[in-house]
Structures are given as structure tokens and as C-alpha cells.
Amino acid sequence: MTAPRGAIAVVGIDCRFPGSPTVEDFWRLLLDGRVAAGPVPGDRWDPATLTDVKSGVDTPAAFIDDAAAFDHRFFGISPIEAAAMDPQQRLLLQAAWRACEDAGYAPRSLAGTATSVHVGIMSSEWGNIHLTDYRGMTPQRGSGNGYCMAANRISYHLDLKGPSMAVDTACSSSLVAAALAATTLRAGEANMAIVAGVNLILTPALSIFYDQAGLAAPDGRCKPFAADADGIGRGEGVGVVILRRLADAVADGQRIYAVIEGGAVGSDGRSNGLTAPNRFAQADVIRNAHERAGVDPHDVTFVEGHGTGTRLGDMIEVRALGDVHKGRTRPVLLGSVKANLGHLEGAAGIAGLIKACLSLERRTLPGTPAGAENPDLKLADNGFRLAAGTTRLPSGTVHAGVSSFGLGGTNAHLVLSSPPRTPTPAMRDEQAAVLTVTAATREALAANVAALRDALAAEVPGRVAQFAWTSTRVKTGLRYRAAVGGIGRDALVAACDTLTRTLPGDGRPAAPRVALAFTGQGSQYAGMAAPLYRHCAAFRHHLDEASAALGELPGGTLVELLLAGADLEPTGLAQPALFGVEYAMGRTLVELGVRPVALLGHSVGEFAAVCVADGITLADAARLVVARGTLMQALPGGGAMLAAAVSSAELAELVTVEPGEVLDVAAVNGPRAVTLSGTEAAVERAADAIRAAGRSATRLRVSHAFHSALMRPMLAEFTELAERVWPGSPRYPLYSTVRPGVAGSVDGAYWAEQVCGPVRFAEAAGLLAEAEPTHVVEVGPRPVLLGLLRDVLPAHTSLACSPGPTATGGELASVVAALYRDGVDLDFDHWFPPSARVRRTLPGYVFDRDTRFWFSADDGRSVAAPQRSEPAEQAAPGAGTGTPAAGITTLVLAAIAAVTGHAEAALHPHAQLEELGFDSIMAMRFVDELEPAIGPLDLEALLPNLTTVGTLIDHFERTHQIAEGASA
């Protein structure tokens, strides 16, 4: 696909509008034709206290719910700073995060990128209230207000390095911001742009102004282009879109809502008055936008108009549009989202842009619930028809226009087109998938798992793997982790339900120390790993590699034998089959990013362990394993093996060997777990003696007496072959079961020695205990070694790649999910095949809404105060107001609480000061709080210790004492 030059893609959207807290809620509101206007909420102002104001104070408007709620912990903002911030900034932070997620990014992955931020904002009533309260002024109020900070705060918290600016052109602010962002992208100043618009109605000031100017609709509803239009109805909310150059978005396979083909911004110049619109200036902007977009106005299907619902404004806008569009044979559909939401002022343009993008993507234009069109506008004569009802848009490329005109004369118009058609393949609902979620707190993790679970339950089955892959790209990077694995939608949904009952109690687990244990012969069975091969693309890829390296085996290739359920008991098949399966399992884990602290292989399992660790090439390992199995199978039968519950010392006392017989220790698997191997008579006599001593002895089903002197006849030929293999050093520690200790190098002599020598598993396991693995993963078709290791190693998590014949093929995905959940960082692109690496829409992050920060009126002045639905966090008193007996710890905790607003109970020793919102300004205030009690402090010497609460306390306990006579 070739992207038009200069075309800009809209790749992410988030919004929070009246009556619609999410994008999908907004779309349903549009389709339902609902109007969000309602009475003034009690937390804004009380009209009853303003009876001396003639009008405008009780006019209905469209308000969002719970504008006070803010997840300050998520962004590492202290309660004191959150309480001082303009809530418009708080809304922007959360919406920007969710919009980045919607674009397919883990927001923190954007750190350091050339991403620009453009925020349309035309008022800050919060600043008007708080910046005039001179006695209550704080540093946080200064940085928490001001238009520039609305954009800069997003850039700061996401660590974005592109241009960052606020745009105020009154009502057109956010559409102008979008036009500027597109220009920034075309100029190469940024590779991605976050464009936003925000508006909050905190005072009746503008409502009074609109009423006095004759612009206000008495019922608070905009009725754009309608016969009943009688003025502006106000609204509020926040909207964010993510923009990229179209060519880049297409190349990265991103979901595209719509394409901005071009646009223009201009001014009314000198019109009939500063606030009077200029028809000819508006028409010029529309013409210029089409010229720059290269789109003929007659190709436009609909226009999302400015549409304030004022008689003069609508009349001039329609005539300006008519100057460009009249003469058409097919009328353009005209509407405005202001009929649903009211006039969002600084956010009006972004609201119209989001509506247009959703309409183009979904090929449906919602109607404008304003009533019958105004006949005085003569829409038909100007080439238009009011979009009164929902309209299905035509197939093929659809073009649209979006207008936004500022009160002071700054006009903007964008020309859009429908997204390019990029069919994405659906997949069978049989793929083993891993779903990941991260969150800032344990409580938020539960909420986000539930949201993802509900979205997954509604997903098309053929897109489940794509949905899961998207989660591994987007839902990452936060303190608390959750993950589930399974096959298909229903299994993953059930796993989510189980997970919500067992969520982790601690965030940021220490990096796990993972050991991989590779199973030996005897664990094989017909059809082993066949379900895993069918359902897991990563395993399938590596098993195909192993099968090709092993070549033709008796009866077919390894893959053919496994899928056919062939008998794998013959040694000539068992050993290559185990090697291939274990290599594929182990290679899958290592390629995902598992970096084992130890490898342990039991007998033939050691070949896979060394190969996975790159201590031997796949081709060489396959050649040796095939030869080993073939040569062993060719030996005469008649040997036997016995598993006995005795120690090596007891064995020497209980068992004797007659002349001419062979009885060797084949393996020492534990303190009381020995395997014997030898001639039939010797093994049977040993079994009788052991049982007579009251110990268990179990004959093993084997074809030969492995790891005994009976293997010597094949040793010379195998040794000759093994010596051709170049010695290799495993990149991960190999706890040898052939020689004592960790094997630094593995050569032909090592592999030859392994044939007849005992498997020193217990000895290797004892050494492994010193490595203190936190997780042991058994790599094999069924768990055999985990039980042996459980009593030898310190407390650890045991995981099996396959449970045995009951395997469904989803167990390896569950192992991967458990490792990720416990702290292993994985690259899931190696798990999902290319057909699954398609971005799907996920629910946005669910922020904690328990903490609220608002204002309380007091004779026209307001003071920011944190509010909580749970008991309020009270800032601790300063260091100069305690008792003389208080120690350093008490002083430090009280000072941190005083400058941040956190309750002392939240200041545990491991709490990161950065996550508590402890910044440089607070560091200076912290010093001011402490100096009266402990004397002068060197701020520069203090800075290296501003990491955790505990580190800071330790610093002061080492370096300071409470000054004599000072209050604590």
C-alpha cells in the first residue's frame, strides 16, 4: 500500500464526555441520539446562593460524572500536588494514557521518543479560583495551573521529547491543536503526536457571559442547524487522539480510525466585531484545507460542523460551507456533536474530530438530535442536508470535513478520509495464548483483570490470539503483574476468573531464578506433545527444527510419529523423540527470554539441556542422540532395571553380585532413591533382598539395562562418533549428572562417559540447591524430576511443561504465564506467530477512583482539599510540632507526610520516594521541616539518599541526632 504524501493517520482515541466515560459509551450515546444536558451538580456551585445574579447561574449544561476522582498514586503524584492541580490536567493524564494504549502502545515504552503533545484548552477556572488566594499559595498551585502545564505534564510523566504545547484559540483550540500536530509530523519534528482537548465548568462565569451576550440556550441544549435553535448549551469533557504519519502506521500494522488528508487554519481578520464570525474567512479556510488535502469538495460525504445552534453562527457557517459545496447533485450530510454534548469550548474540536473518525471507521454517521432543520438556512440550496437520523456510509473511500471556529476568529477545518482497507487474518480459536495485565496497585490489578476478562469474553473466537498478543504489547510495565495461559477464549476467560481469586499480594517481585530440569528416558508415551504441537506455534517451529535435524526415523519423521501416536517404547525412537520434544520446549522458553540460572538433565535429557544452552549444535546433538538410541537398541536384550527406596550405603549391605552377573548403580536420584541396572538374575535377586529388608523395589519397563556395563559393546562406535563433535561450553550453568560439579565444557568424552556411568542426579541436585532457584521448570513430556527436587531444594515454585497423557496443549502457555507473573521479562513476539501479531482493541486502563481532589466554596474563594471515598489521608504535622521524645524515624516520617500529604501509614520503608511524588521542591521543604529539630542540612549530600523512605531514614540515623532542647 502506498500512503498519500502528507497523510496523517488517527491510530488511537480516548474520551470522557458527559454521559459517556469511554469511547464505546460515547458511540452508543451518538447512535441513541441522547442529549447529555442536565442540572448543575452540587459540587460545582449552588445557584441558590447567587440570587443577586440576574441570569445564567442555573442554566443546565452537560457535565461529566465524578470529575474529582484522580488516581494520583498511579502517576506518582503526591496528595498535596494532586489537590493543587487543575483537574483538567488530571483528566488529560488519564485520557492520554488510555489513548496511547488504544494506539497499541504500552505508554511507558514511549519514554525518550520524539512524541509531541498538543493540547487545546481555553479556560482554567481552577486557576482563576486558586491563584487569587494569595495566602494559600503553594509551589504546587503554581505548577498545577497554567495552560502550558496541561501539555507539559503529559510530556513529563511519559518522558516524551517532542514539542509540547498548549493551544488557546477559544472554541477552535483543540482542532487547531490537531492541525498543528499534523504539521509537526509532516515536518519530521515528531514521529507521533498526542492531541487533546479539555474543558471543565467549575464556575457560572461563562454561562453568565453567554446569557448576557444573548448566546445561551435557556434549556442548556445546542440545536445546531435546527428550526428550534436558540443558543449555546455548554458542555465539558476530555478527548485525546494519537496521530502518526500514515505510511508509518500502515508499515507497523496499526489500527487506523481515519486519515487526515489535509487541513487549514486561518483568521476572520477584521469582521463586524471581535467575536462576530466572518463567512468569507471561513470559506477560505475550507477551500485551503481541500486544496492542501488534494480532495475535491464535491467528493465529501459529510461535514461535522461547528454548529453552535446560534441563529447568526449557524447562518454564517452554512453560507460559508455553501460557498464551497453548492452546486452538488448529491447533498452533503451536515451535523454537529454539540447537539449531544453541548459546546465543549476548548474541547469542542476534538469531540467533533473523534465523532468523525468513529463514523468513518464504522461507516455509520449518527444523526444530530436537534429537531427539524431550520428552513431559513436553505441547506439544500447550499448543497447540504441535515443528518437527522443514523446513515450508513457508502462503500469505498469516504471523505469528510470537520470544522471548528473560535470566538475570536481563529478558524480550522480538516479534511478526512475513511481508513485504508487492511484485511487481517482471523485465526482458529485453538491457539495456545498468554494474556498479560499489569497495574499500579493490587486493587487496580483486580479491576483491570476483570475489564480485560469481560472484553475477551465478547471477542470473536478467531481473534483471541491477536487479542492476547496485543495485551502482551500494551498491558505491561507496571508494578503488579497478572497473566494467564490457555487454549481459546473460554479457557482464558476461566483462567481469568480463577486468577482474580489468587492475585499476588506483592508488587515488583524479585527477579526469579529459574532452573530447567530435562526429563530422562521412561517419560515418553505415544502421542506425547502432539496437542502442544497443534496449538503452540513457537513449540511447533522448534519441534520442526528438531525433526528436520533428526531426519528420517523408523516409521517416519519425529513430527509424523508424534502426530500419528506411534509407539515410542523402542529405544531407537524413545531417545530421539524425547530429545526433540525437550529441545523444542526448552528452546521456546529461552527464546522467550527465560535466562536459567541452572540446567539439569537426567540421562538423555542432558543432550537437550546442553543443546538449548548452545553447548552443542542442534545438528550434532541430533546425530549423537539418533546414534545412541540406535546402537543401544541393537544390543542384545535381557537386561533389567530396578528403582529401589534405599540409600547407596544400605545398598552395599543388602545386595551382592554373583560371578558372571552384572549389577550397576544406574542412577542416584535422591538420599533414598537408587536405580539398579544389570542382568535379569542379578536385578531380581537385588529386588528380593531389598524387599526382605522392608524397602520398596519396583521393576522398570525397559528394553535394556541402561547405564550399566551391558552398554559397553556399543561404546566404541559411539565414542568414535562423539569425538567428531567440537567441544562446547553451555552459556548457562550445567549441573552435570555425569561428573561432579558444573560442567565448563562438554566434549565427546563426556557423552561417551554418560553411556555406562551412573546418573548422579542427587549430587547435582544438592549442588543446585546452592544456586537457590526460585522456580524449577521440568522440560519433558511428563513431570518426573520435580518430585525428586522438591525435598532437596529450598522453597521454590514447581512448573511442568506437560502433565503427561492428559495434556491439552495449553500447559506450556500456563508455565510461561506463571513465569511472567512472577517477574520474568519475556518477549512474547517469539510466542505468537505473525498471523497473531495484529493489534486488537483492548479496554483502557481502569484507574482507581477512590481518591478525589476538589474544591469547597467559601464566600467566593475555594481551597483545594483532598477528598476520599475511604477515610481521608491526613497530612502529618510538621517536624516542629511533635514531642521532645520523638526519634529520627518519627521526625523523618512526619516531615515526608507534611510535604507530600501522604498518611504516615503509607510510608513503609520500601516505598519509593519518586512514586510518592517527592520532587525537588518537596526536598527543599523537607529540609525546612527538619532543620529546626536536627540543625542545618546539606541538601546536596541528601540527594543521593532520596530513593526510598527506608534509605532516607537510615541516612539520618547515621548522620544526625536530635538537637538538644529541640521539639520533635
Side-chain angles (χ1 to χ4, degrees), residues 96-107 470 474-475 842-846:
W97 183 279
R98 289 166 58 101
C100 289
E101 287 187 320
D102 189 59
Y105 297 103
T470 305
V474 174
K475 300 294 185 177
L842 305 181
Y845 186 85
V846 180

Side-chain angles (χ1 to χ4, degrees), residues 725-887:
V725 175
W726 193 263
S729 299
R731 66 166 64 186
Y732 309 113
L734 174 69
Y735 286 73
S736 173
T737 57
V738 176
R739 300 169 181 169
V742 176
S745 177
V746 179
D747 55 12
Y750 184 94
W751 297 120
E753 186 179 342
Q754 189 206 48
V755 171
C756 296
V759 178
R760 305 173 183 269
F761 186 80
E763 185 178 339
L767 288 173
L768 176 61
E770 298 176 6
E772 298 182 339
T774 59
H775 294 68
V776 178
V777 180
E778 181 153 2
V779 182
R782 75 170 100 207
V784 176
L785 307 179
L786 292 178
L788 299 175
L789 292 170
R790 192 167 290 120
D791 297 331
V792 179
L793 301 180
H796 63 277
T797 299
S798 297
L799 301 167
C801 291
S802 173
T806 60
T808 64
E811 292 81 8
L812 185 58
S814 296
V815 168
V816 170
L819 292 174
Y820 175 81
R821 191 164 59 239
D822 289 349
V824 179
D825 292 323
L826 302 174
D827 182 355
F828 286 100
D829 280 1
H830 291 292
W831 177 270
F832 292 93
S835 58
R837 297 200 289 269
V838 176
R839 288 179 171 89
R840 292 295 176 192
T841 301
L842 305 181
Y845 186 85
V846 180
F847 290 100
D848 177 10
R849 300 180 65 82
D850 286 340
T851 308
R852 292 171 174 78
F853 303 91
W854 208 233
F855 66 99
S856 53
D858 181 14
D859 296 330
R861 288 190 180 275
S862 300
V863 178
Q867 301 173 352
R868 292 179 61 83
S869 59
E870 58 193 60
E873 283 188 352
Q874 298 297 324
T881 60
T883 64

Side-chain angles (χ1 to χ4, degrees), residues 48 185 189 193 210 253 256 318 367 369 373 482 558 594 656 667 673 683 709 751 803 815 841 903 922:
L185 290 170
E189 288 188 284
Y210 285 152
I256 298 172
V318 168
E373 67 179 56
L558 173 60
V594 176
T656 58
V683 169
W751 297 120
V815 168
T841 301
M922 291 181 179

